[in-house]
Amino acid sequence: DRLLGGHVTRYHTRPEVGNNQSVAEHTWRAVVILHTLWPDISREALLYLLYHDVTEAELGDLPATTKWKYHFLAEEYRKVETDYQKTLGIVNEITEREKHLCKMADMLELVMHCHRQVRKGNTFAEKIYTNGIEFLRNNFKTDPNFGPVEQVLLELEKYDNQ
């Protein structure tokens, strides 16, 4: 059951954006980002990120925009995700700092994926790209660990302005 999560297609409500990116592709890139930006990250945090979307094989991928708009639904979804993770034997206890680092890596992968799509001419990805950047800055700019993420965002924006 753990392996099934990797087959889920991301951006299912916006297929023109995702270019059929799978959860496996997204997760691998997010883990690489996490380990590259914070090489001292714990094994537990790497495993947490590795399995963070595995429940989507059972529950589907609830779009971020839906979670943001319907907070009550997102809360209930998180409860069900936690229950399903326990069913799979996936329980990774990590610190708040590590949760923030994992979320930053997760969102940065989304931003980088959409940046690649935009550079290939896929204008449908522009809104998700800019929303992702805004999300990262709005939620983590005061986090003491945000520096490496901001550097990547600035590099992407510099590349955009060439």
Side-chain angles (χ1 to χ4, degrees):
D1 286 342
R2 290 181 185 193
L3 292 176
L4 293 176
H7 296 285
V8 174
T9 300
R10 290 174 49 84
Y11 309 102
H12 70 283
T13 60
R14 299 286 309 274
E16 72 279 6
V17 172
N19 198 31
N20 295 315
Q21 184 190 39
S22 69
V23 166
E25 293 166 319
H26 158 70
T27 299
W28 180 80
R29 289 182 184 112
V31 168
V32 169
I33 289 167
L34 179 68
H35 189 256
T36 300
L37 297 184
W38 302 283
D40 64 334
I41 195 70
S42 73
R43 176 184 184 276
E44 290 76 21
L46 289 167
L47 288 172
Y48 176 89
L49 189 56
L50 181 65
Y51 289 115
H52 81 285
D53 283 337
V54 74
T55 59
E56 292 177 7
E58 176 77 11
L59 306 174
D61 181 11
L62 188 64
T65 51
T66 302
K67 292 175 190 174
W68 299 340
K69 189 172 182 180
Y70 304 102
H71 299 281
F72 68 94
L73 184 58
E75 232 173 88
E76 292 302 314
Y77 190 83
R78 265 190 290 281
K79 289 176 189 174
V80 176
E81 279 183 316
T82 300
D83 287 346
Y84 188 64
Q85 284 176 334
K86 287 177 185 172
T87 301
L88 294 176
I90 299 168
V91 181
N92 298 96
E93 296 297 325
I94 61 173
T95 66
E96 277 306 306
R97 174 187 178 267
E98 290 172 324
K99 285 180 184 174
H100 286 190
L101 297 180
C102 287
K103 186 62 178 177
M104 285 188 269
D106 182 36
M107 288 300 295
L108 187 55
E109 194 288 324
L110 173 143
V111 167
M112 293 173 76
H113 172 76
C114 289
H115 182 262
R116 281 190 303 276
Q117 290 298 307
V118 171
R119 297 300 297 173
K120 290 175 11 179
N122 184 351
T123 57
F124 294 112
E126 286 178 18
K127 181 73 171 150
I128 295 173
Y129 172 64
T130 57
N131 284 352
I133 291 172
E134 285 177 30
F135 177 89
L136 283 165
R137 287 185 172 142
N138 290 341
N139 289 281
F140 296 107
K141 67 181 169 198
T142 60
D143 188 301
N145 300 292
F146 187 64
V149 175
E150 181 63 24
Q151 286 178 330
V152 172
L153 296 177
L154 291 172
E155 282 297 314
L156 292 175
E157 290 170 336
K158 187 170 100 178
Y159 189 78
D160 291 340
N161 294 323
Q162 290 180 350

